[in-house]
Amino acid sequence: MYCLWCHEEIITEVHWGNLIHLYRPKRLCMNCESQLIKIQGDLCSICSRVSSVKKCADCLKWEDYEESPIKFNASLYTYNSFMQEVVAKWKYRGDYQLAKIFQYEFEKEYSKKFSFLTKKKPVVVPIPLSKQRMTERGFNQAEVLADFIPLQKDHVLERLHGEKQAKKTRYERISTENPFILRKSINKTVILVDDIYTTGTTLRHAARLFKGNGCPNVYTYTLIRG
Amino acid sequence: MKGYWYLIPVSVTLGFLTKNLMHYWLLGLFLIWILYLYHKQRLGIFPILISLIASLFFTWYIPSPTQLENTAPHLPDKKEYQMTGKIISPIDEKSHSIQFLLKDNSHDNTVQVVYFNGKHDTASTSGRIHSLKYGATCEIKGIMEVPDQPTNPGQFNYRQYLFGQGIHYQIVVNQLSGLKCSGSGYMHRFYKLRDMLTTYVVTNTSESTSAWLSAIVFGDDSFLPKDTIELFRRWSLSHLLAISGLHVGLVLALLYFILIRLLGLTKENAQWTILLFLPIYAVLAGGEPSVIRASAMGFVFIVINKLHMKWSVSDVLSFIFILLVLVDKYIIYQVGFQFSFLVTFGILLSQKWLLQDGFSFFQMLKLSFISQLIILPLYFTYFSTFQPLSIPLNMIIVPYFSFFLIPSLFILFILSPFKLIAAILSSLINVLQEYMLAMITYIDNSFSTSLSLGPLPLSITVIYYVIFFLLMKNLHYKNLTKAFGYGILLVVVLVSGAIKPYVSNVGYITMLDIGQGDAFVVELPHRKGVVLIDAGASFSFDSGEPTEKVYTQVIKPYLLSRGINKIDAIFLSHEDTDHNGSLSFIIDEFKVGAIIVSQFYELGEQEIDSLNKLGVELLRLNENTAVTIGGESFTILGPKKDRASSNSNSLVIYGRLGEKGWLFTGDIGVEEEKNILQEFPGLEVDVLKVAHHGSNTSTDDEFIRKLQPEYALISAGKNNRYGHPTQEVIDRLEKYDTTILRTDQDGAVQFRFKKDKEGTFYRQFP
């Protein structure tokens, strides 16, 4: 097996931990894996940003406008420079296979954070790309991530074409109009899945739509917290 | 498959165990495991297929003990036989015998050839012995026999041991004319070189240094005193005497240092030199599995490095395992092979835990801990006892060997042409060795707390390994609290094994087969008491002195296999070697409460002294007195008066055990038998130990008629020269429908009974 990022050969050494219950085949070598940093420590109870207080300044600012449509957001990794490189290659340069790097951890973190919802039979909704962006990229990274979660998926959102979020300033993002259309209302708990939570605008836009159409609770789950 | 090659040795091991223990669920367990891994997407289809095929292939490939027996070609047994073949082993020359392996040309099977040199051998005949060389073609004439089976429980299985090396027959050559050899093979040079080097070492260094030198540099421990070897075995230090991975690693490091620093070779050339040196060293060091394993691993790692390949250590270890098994399908039967691979694998798995706190004494302790615990069940199987304190002892002795003794012995060997330096170094080594041995001996005498469990049952072994695995897994993940819990559990399992005989309500009375002589072991239910009735020995024809053979091969292994290290009392019927010869060896190594003899038993001052010194009570009992041991009463029925012959003065013992009356008669004659009938009318005897090995001087018709014993026990040597037991006695016993149980035909005979219940007799050979 070779490392998906640096293409070094991965040599698994057997030890007492993986002797009987073998580990899944590794996608990254030890060195690359060590550069993926998980979000740890005290987090904001809403957006999962590292924060010493219960609600971070960002979320408090949001609350000036409205009650948060998101119950809470969970994220897996920090957006360090290594992750930025990986995302760039994956998303913008179309290295579809790189998603496998995150598969097991993304699924594991999901069951850790959201297993309490299992009884409510939540619906997973990936944040869509606009038609134009989809033809450009060939795949929707949010959908790829959502597929890692063993739950029913519902593609009820549609996105109007607009400027890339990444190219906008914070003010522009927050003040944009809602780019989503909800094609069907869902009256069950919804988990929105996306690759990255930066300011939270995109996810909040989508969540607001669901909440406004009879959905009791909306959670969001992203790979990265920017 | 990279990183997963260890699955193959695991499957080989399980296949081996499955066939050996006839528990097919072990193989089933492996298949379920593999399929589970596939289901959970832990393994690709390729490793799955390889593992499945390997497990089936090796289960078929590795011979089982019964298979070994059945496939043995039928050759005339115990008959003069002539065969031609090639010598396929180094020549093992001892003071009294010469041994080697011969591959038969016509049958293509291996035969062990033994030649006992008599004293009549002169220089003129030694030419024939010199023609014995590896690879020589020989014409052999001798008596063909199937190797001996153990005739006692707990005894070493020599037949299986030889079968395990693919040897089905032994040919004993009595006359030198039966050995006609010529030519030699390619490998002969290396064995010759090894012989020359050991001889050189022995003649050029002082006796004690040379013994260590040949053991540690050439893997030949035959010059070390037996006591030292036994002491090292007792304290699980034997791995230091055998050449192991540790030695090979040190030798390589030393050689590498010399080549680069002292001879100024480039790294490249130094590596090539080592590649060349490793296989030669493996042969020079005796070619034991541990040497081969370690040298092969060193070899493969250098090659891999040279080719810029990456392989995990476990893969390399697995390749070597598979290769060795493919080359020699019997090798997995060898204790050295099992220990070497298991310990290496255990250390490999524990790497993270071992490297946690850098190099330190704590690390040495961990290393010692893993190495001992991973082979513990095997250790009990082969040696019955284990010293828990050997773990800390290893922690001290292993560094001493690694950093001082082994390097300095190699340096001594290299410097041996320079007499003065060699002499100084040699005396330094001697002094330190003496201190070290004195220390181990002191510990052996003062802190010996051996855990004698005997071979563990399979269920306990499985439980042990499951707990050991969980313990190590938690240590790996640094869950120290959980690990501690499993550690305690492991101790509980071992201790529960140790107290099992105390809980069990089964008692045993065993008539051991010691050849021509008596030795009975009585184990009361709940281990209330352990009593020996006689402890005979064979004696050497030269000096008439008792030999250790019966003790070390029969009595001791039996006692240890039953987890006995304390004996409450030993009854000695009379002072003949075939009844008391093993006593001195027993009281040396076991805690003995008392010796019980008759008032006429003659004891030398020296013997009384040694009994006093070891704190063994001496009890002289009169006729019609009784002694109670563990709640069971043993009554003395004789001798009443001194009859001036040791046989006639035999102590006669009566006891009731397992709802049966037992009469032990020593070597009494017809007169004494009559006396017993007279003195004790109405004596209920169900089991009679037939007096004097079934000689016609005892076992009178009237005696049997009056007693009407249900069973008669006869301990007599196979084909003994006295003709015991005599046909007369057999006929007489059969006349009264007595079931005869005899060691010469049945092997050891064991009576198993539950407390206050009837018991059953079992023969070693049913």
Side-chain angles (χ1 to χ4, degrees):
Chain A
M1 201 63 76
Y2 292 84
C3 175
L4 280 178
W5 184 249
C6 71
H7 308 296
E8 269 285 309
E9 190 170 10
I10 303 170
I11 302 291
T12 9
E13 270 298 355
V14 58
H15 52 71
W16 291 107
N18 64 2
L19 176 65
I20 303 285
H21 195 81
L22 304 184
Y23 287 162
R24 287 193 173 88
K26 290 247 181 245
R27 307 295 191 186
L28 287 183
C29 68
M30 288 276 269
N31 189 28
C32 292
E33 197 180 59
S34 70
Q35 295 185 62
L36 286 179
I37 310 291
K38 283 194 186 159
I39 298 173
Q40 270 171 343
D42 293 331
L43 305 179
C44 167
S45 60
I46 292 180
C47 72
S48 282
R49 178 197 219 185
V50 178
S51 153
S52 54
V53 285
K54 214 172 165 235
K55 272 185 196 167
C56 68
D58 247 14
C59 290
L60 284 176
K61 226 184 254 173
W62 274 109
E63 276 187 7
D64 291 346
Y65 299 95
E66 56 171 355
E67 191 200 342
S68 172
I70 299 171
K71 261 288 214 228
F72 70 73
N73 167 63
S75 302
L76 186 54
Y77 294 110
T78 58
Y79 203 35
N80 61 3
S81 57
F82 178 74
M83 185 58 103
Q84 283 171 26
E85 280 181 58
V86 175
V87 167
K89 198 172 174 194
W90 175 39
K91 231 161 93 170
Y92 303 128
R93 275 177 275 145
D95 193 342
Y96 181 78
Q97 287 291 323
L98 282 181
K100 283 190 177 166
I101 295 174
F102 309 117
Q103 183 172 355
Y104 303 129
E105 288 300 326
F106 195 72
E107 187 191 332
K108 213 167 96 188
E109 184 75 4
Y110 169 80
S111 35
K112 205 167 116 193
K113 290 278 167 66
F114 294 101
S115 55
F116 73 98
L117 285 176
T118 314
K119 270 193 190 154
K120 293 186 179 162
K121 295 198 174 128
V123 179
V124 171
V125 180
I127 297 294
L129 293 179
S130 65
K131 276 198 186 107
Q132 193 184 340
R133 195 77 73 222
M134 190 67 183
T135 28
E136 261 171 47
R137 289 193 192 157
F139 69 96
N140 176 6
Q141 72 283 351
E143 214 172 306
V144 174
L145 289 171
D147 281 341
F148 293 157
I149 301 169
L151 269 185
Q152 185 206 336
K153 269 127 253 171
D154 224 339
H155 303 279
V156 288
L157 281 179
E158 205 174 305
R159 190 179 196 147
L160 302 171
H161 186 61
E163 202 39 49
K164 281 179 189 164
Q165 287 293 92
K167 298 261 165 81
K168 291 179 195 160
T169 63
R170 179 182 168 81
Y171 177 76
E172 280 170 346
R173 289 187 198 192
I174 290 173
S175 54
T176 45
E177 263 181 48
N178 198 329
F180 297 109
I181 300 167
L182 187 63
R183 281 188 306 197
K184 195 182 97 188
S185 61
I186 294 180
N187 51 8
K188 276 198 271 185
T189 299
V190 162
I191 300 170
L192 290 170
V193 171
D194 203 359
D195 54 346
I196 182 162
Y197 180 114
T198 313
T199 59
T201 314
T202 312
L203 288 161
R204 274 163 195 269
H205 275 315
R208 217 173 287 129
L209 265 180
F210 279 103
K211 285 286 265 191
N213 285 284
C215 176
N217 284 313
V218 180
Y219 298 85
T220 65
Y221 181 38
T222 69
L223 180 69
I224 303 158
R225 176 67 177 88
Chain B
M1 193 66 191
K2 261 192 182 181
Y4 300 115
W5 281 99
Y6 72 93
L7 290 171
I8 311 294
V10 169
S11 74
V12 175
T13 310
L14 281 171
F16 168 70
L17 288 174
T18 301
K19 269 184 120 169
N20 247 280
L21 308 170
M22 302 296 280
H23 284 293
Y24 283 88
W25 58 268
L26 281 167
L27 191 65
L29 215 61
F30 178 76
L31 299 182
I32 290 170
W33 178 46
I34 291 293
L35 291 176
Y36 166 82
L37 291 176
Y38 178 67
H39 173 72
K40 284 273 171 183
Q41 300 176 2
R42 302 305 159 104
L43 268 185
I45 190 77
F46 183 62
I48 297 280
L49 279 178
I50 294 219
S51 307
L52 288 180
I53 293 169
S55 67
L56 295 176
F57 170 75
F58 282 105
T59 312
W60 164 79
Y61 175 77
I62 291 171
S64 74
T66 48
Q67 211 175 333
L68 287 174
E69 211 146 338
N70 295 337
T71 52
H74 285 285
L75 296 175
D77 188 21
K78 289 274 177 202
K79 271 190 192 143
E80 180 89 350
Y81 193 79
Q82 194 166 352
M83 69 185 336
T84 326
K86 235 185 192 140
I87 298 182
I88 54 157
S89 77
I91 313 299
D92 185 9
E93 214 175 325
K94 295 217 174 75
S95 57
H96 289 293
S97 67
I98 295 172
Q99 266 189 21
F100 57 88
L101 300 180
L102 190 81
K103 190 151 199 157
D104 186 354
N105 280 349
S106 50
H107 292 85
D108 196 42
N109 57 329
T110 309
V111 174
Q112 174 163 282
V113 182
V114 189
Y115 167 68
F116 293 103
N117 348 356
K119 284 180 188 129
H120 53 271
D121 285 341
T122 55
S124 62
T125 57
S126 68
R128 277 182 196 270
I129 289 172
H130 282 304
S131 67
L132 295 175
K133 289 171 184 166
Y134 186 95
T137 307
C138 294
E139 224 175 90
I140 305 284
K141 219 193 278 173
I143 305 289
M144 183 75 101
E145 54 185 39
V146 180
D148 287 336
Q149 252 182 321
T151 62
N152 291 283
Q155 196 178 350
F156 179 67
N157 193 337
Y158 189 59
R159 179 180 290 183
Q160 199 177 322
Y161 169 75
L162 285 184
F163 277 17
Q165 294 171 43
I167 301 161
H168 298 107
Y169 292 96
Q170 186 167 248
I171 192 161
V172 179
V173 179
N174 288 313
Q175 279 166 335
L176 208 49
S177 59
L179 291 173
K180 250 183 261 168
C181 297
S182 62
S184 67
Y186 174 73
M187 288 293 276
H188 169 66
R189 277 157 245 245
F190 292 103
Y191 293 116
K192 187 81 196 154
L193 180 63
R194 181 174 186 232
D195 273 354
M196 275 165 55
L197 288 171
T198 12
T199 320
Y200 166 80
V201 161
V202 170
T203 46
N204 279 283
T205 43
S206 73
E207 200 185 325
S208 56
T209 320
S210 70
W212 286 101
L213 200 57
S214 43
I216 279 176
V217 179
F218 298 109
D220 177 3
D221 61 10
S222 60
F223 299 100
L224 284 173
K226 263 193 177 168
D227 292 352
T228 310
I229 295 176
E230 181 56 22
L231 183 71
F232 270 60
R233 207 217 40 72
R234 216 164 32 243
W235 286 90
S236 308
L237 295 164
S238 300
H239 61 102
L240 294 169
L241 299 181
I243 293 184
S244 61
L246 178 73
H247 292 61
V248 176
L250 285 167
V251 172
L252 286 191
L254 192 71
L255 187 68
Y256 201 64
F257 176 81
I258 292 174
L259 290 174
I260 288 182
R261 287 296 159 88
L262 301 183
L263 301 179
L265 258 65
T266 58
K267 274 188 187 172
E268 179 82 14
N269 285 336
Q271 284 177 2
W272 285 116
T273 316
I274 286 175
L275 279 184
L276 203 69
F277 167 80
L278 270 171
I280 300 173
Y281 180 68
V283 177
L284 288 184
E288 290 295 317
S290 59
V291 188
I292 295 181
R293 195 221 82 228
S295 328
M297 279 185 82
F299 192 89
V300 172
F301 274 119
I302 295 175
V303 170
I304 283 177
N305 199 18
K306 281 211 170 293
L307 296 176
H308 301 289
M309 291 202 298
K310 269 168 103 181
W311 282 95
S312 72
V313 187
S314 62
D315 281 349
V316 172
L317 184 70
S318 303
F319 287 146
I320 292 163
F321 181 101
I322 297 164
L323 200 71
L324 288 181
V325 171
L326 285 176
V327 169
D328 177 4
K329 61 179 160 185
Y330 299 107
I331 201 167
I332 195 164
Y333 277 91
Q334 289 188 34
V335 183
F337 178 87
Q338 296 168 0
F339 280 12
S340 182
F341 275 93
L342 207 51
V343 169
T344 312
F345 193 48
I347 291 174
L348 211 63
L349 290 175
S350 318
Q351 239 171 0
K352 190 181 152 207
W353 183 58
L354 283 169
L355 296 174
Q356 246 167 43
D357 33 23
F359 179 78
S360 65
F361 269 95
F362 196 50
Q363 194 183 25
M364 294 306 296
L365 185 64
K366 285 175 169 182
L367 204 59
S368 177
F369 174 85
I370 299 164
S371 318
Q372 312 266 351
L373 288 194
I374 198 160
I375 54 171
L376 196 58
L378 291 181
Y379 209 82
F380 280 119
T381 305
Y382 298 124
F383 307 116
S384 293
T385 53
F386 172 71
Q387 290 280 3
L389 286 178
S390 68
I391 294 175
L393 186 66
N394 260 280
M395 179 186 93
I396 302 165
I397 304 292
V398 171
Y400 166 75
F401 267 73
S402 319
F403 299 112
F404 172 72
L405 191 67
I406 298 173
S408 58
L409 284 173
F410 273 95
I411 293 169
L412 176 66
F413 175 68
I414 296 164
L415 294 181
S416 58
F418 309 102
K419 292 270 186 265
L420 184 67
I421 307 171
I424 297 170
L425 187 56
S426 162
S427 50
L428 175 73
I429 292 171
N430 268 342
V431 171
L432 284 166
Q433 276 300 82
E434 264 167 44
Y435 275 118
M436 191 242 356
L437 282 176
M439 185 187 80
I440 302 176
T441 313
Y442 172 72
I443 290 171
D444 186 47
N445 290 332
S446 322
F447 301 103
S448 180
T449 49
S450 66
L451 193 60
S452 305
L453 300 187
L456 302 178
L458 183 64
S459 54
I460 300 276
T461 307
V462 171
I463 293 170
Y464 175 90
Y465 275 121
V466 169
I467 297 173
F468 179 66
F469 168 75
L470 291 171
L471 165 66
M472 292 316 295
K473 188 174 174 175
N474 280 293
L475 283 175
H476 177 87
Y477 287 123
K478 296 189 192 172
N479 296 331
L480 294 186
T481 350
K482 264 191 172 175
F484 184 73
Y486 285 118
I488 299 278
L489 209 57
L490 205 63
V491 174
V492 169
V493 168
L494 292 176
V495 168
S496 69
I499 61 168
K500 203 179 128 212
Y502 296 89
V503 182
S504 159
N505 65 345
V506 181
Y508 299 79
I509 299 169
T510 313
M511 170 168 68
L512 293 172
D513 173 26
I514 63 163
Q516 183 74 2
D518 278 15
F520 290 83
V521 183
V522 179
E523 301 156 64
L524 299 177
H526 301 293
R527 214 19 84 82
K528 283 269 167 63
V530 176
V531 175
L532 261 59
I533 298 174
D534 279 343
S538 51
F539 48 87
S540 94
F541 284 106
D542 298 341
S543 62
E545 287 291 306
T547 62
E548 255 190 322
K549 202 177 139 204
V550 165
Y551 170 68
T552 53
Q553 296 184 2
V554 181
I555 299 179
K556 183 182 173 183
Y558 175 74
L559 293 175
L560 291 182
S561 77
R562 300 282 315 135
I564 295 167
N565 43 27
K566 197 178 133 255
I567 298 159
D568 296 281
I570 303 177
F571 288 95
L572 294 176
S573 65
H574 61 294
E575 51 276 62
D576 287 352
T577 304
D578 60 338
H579 292 258
N580 77 353
S582 290
L583 179 72
S584 58
F585 310 119
I586 296 175
I587 56 175
D588 254 1
E589 292 191 32
F590 288 82
K591 276 178 218 136
V592 177
I595 305 291
I596 303 172
V597 294
S598 79
Q599 48 193 321
F600 311 116
Y601 189 99
E602 281 173 28
L603 271 168
E605 240 170 75
Q606 238 184 337
E607 291 170 273
I608 292 177
D609 266 0
S610 72
L611 288 182
N612 283 340
K613 220 195 279 170
L614 292 162
V616 183
E617 199 186 335
L618 179 67
L619 219 58
R620 287 186 182 276
L621 290 184
N622 286 324
E623 186 220 26
N624 214 355
T625 55
V627 59
T628 305
I629 301 163
E632 299 292 344
S633 161
F634 296 83
T635 314
I636 307 302
L637 309 186
K640 196 176 184 186
K641 44 189 183 211
D642 192 351
R643 294 191 168 270
S645 128
S646 65
N647 279 355
S648 305
N649 275 345
S650 285
L651 192 70
V652 179
I653 306 153
Y654 179 81
R656 287 202 65 84
L657 292 161
E659 300 290 289
K660 279 184 170 41
W662 296 69
L663 188 66
F664 294 92
T665 53
D667 278 359
I668 58 169
V670 175
E671 277 303 301
E672 290 76 35
E673 289 177 349
K674 285 193 171 135
N675 205 34
I676 290 167
L677 291 179
Q678 240 169 44
E679 297 272 327
F680 305 95
L683 188 67
E684 270 181 45
V685 174
D686 304 294
V687 186
L688 170 71
K689 202 252 21 159
V690 173
H692 206 181
H693 322 289
S695 156
N696 58 4
T697 53
S698 332
T699 320
D700 194 27
D701 191 274
E702 192 201 349
F703 192 56
I704 304 301
R705 184 164 51 83
K706 286 260 172 76
L707 292 182
Q708 295 281 348
E710 209 180 327
Y711 295 94
L713 305 179
I714 302 175
S715 57
K718 204 173 184 178
N719 306 320
N720 66 76
R721 52 193 187 134
Y722 311 100
H724 291 162
T726 57
Q727 195 54 45
E728 245 177 294
V729 169
I730 299 288
D731 290 344
R732 209 170 289 153
L733 289 166
E734 281 176 349
K735 191 168 117 192
Y736 296 101
D737 277 339
T738 310
T739 308
I740 301 170
L741 298 160
R742 47 195 282 191
T743 55
D744 58 341
Q745 287 179 358
D746 304 323
V749 174
Q750 191 165 57
F751 178 73
R752 292 176 209 161
F753 63 101
K754 283 191 178 159
K755 199 172 158 52
D756 303 324
K757 288 209 178 98
E758 287 271 342
T760 319
F761 278 99
Y762 294 88
R763 298 172 167 101
Q764 178 79 7
F765 305 124

